Amino acid sequence: MKKLSLTSTVEVYSSIEELSDQDAELLAQAKKAIDNAYAPYSKFKVGAALRLANGEVFLGNNQENAAYPLCLCAERVALFYAASKHPDVPVKALAISAKSGSKPLTDPVTPCGSCRQTIFESEFRNQTPIRLIMQGETGDIYCMNSIREILPLTFTADFL
Ligand code: THU
């Protein structure tokens, strides 16, 4: 038996001022998108903003349902919205932020497992890595240059 060690690289910034203008702008848009979330059940509002290779920005937020499994995350709303309008334009960056109804969020919000796989599908489909920018309401900001950093041993269409 041998062991495989997996490593990931995450850039950690302590304030928005440390970010590039492009990353800071996209994070600001994700924070604005939080306001339109529909989260009456969890009271956990998530905002996402993505920038396409053509410069257009698309927003998304979580959309919940009384039938809980139907809830859709902010990241997937933004990705599907953008892909439905521009199926062939790569996504270059995606910012995520959130507000909890029960406590101050001081840790960066990272995408759920389903969203990680969906973000990867976008990278694979367009053969373009997506830069991720993540923050809670306040606190450190995590950035990474591909979802692969937090989705190791990825299941891809190459297996099919
Ligand atoms: N949620 C997102 O929108 N994105 C994530 O990456 C994690 C969770 C939403 C789904 C649900 O509406 C609420 O947050 C609580 O899980």
Side-chain angles (χ1 to χ4, degrees), residues 16 24-38 45-49 57-62 74 95-99 135-137:
I16 292 184
E25 172 59 22
L26 205 60
L27 182 57
Q29 300 258 34
K31 285 174 181 283
K32 272 195 206 145
I34 290 172
D35 296 333
N36 288 344
Y38 177 64
K45 293 183 162 196
V46 186
V57 170
F58 284 80
L59 305 183
N61 33 54
N62 51 331
I96 306 156
S97 187
K99 271 186 201 159
Q135 192 188 30
E137 273 180 87

Side-chain angles (χ1 to χ4, degrees), residues 38-48 61-65 68 71-77 96-98 109-113 115-116:
Y38 177 64
Y41 306 106
S42 72
K43 314 257 190 278
F44 189 81
K45 293 183 162 196
V46 186
N61 33 54
N62 51 331
Q63 300 294 321
E64 297 190 345
N65 195 288
Y68 291 176
C71 295
L72 200 57
C73 294
E75 297 91 322
R76 277 176 286 158
V77 170
I96 306 156
S97 187
V109 180
T110 51
C112 76
C115 287
R116 290 178 199 205

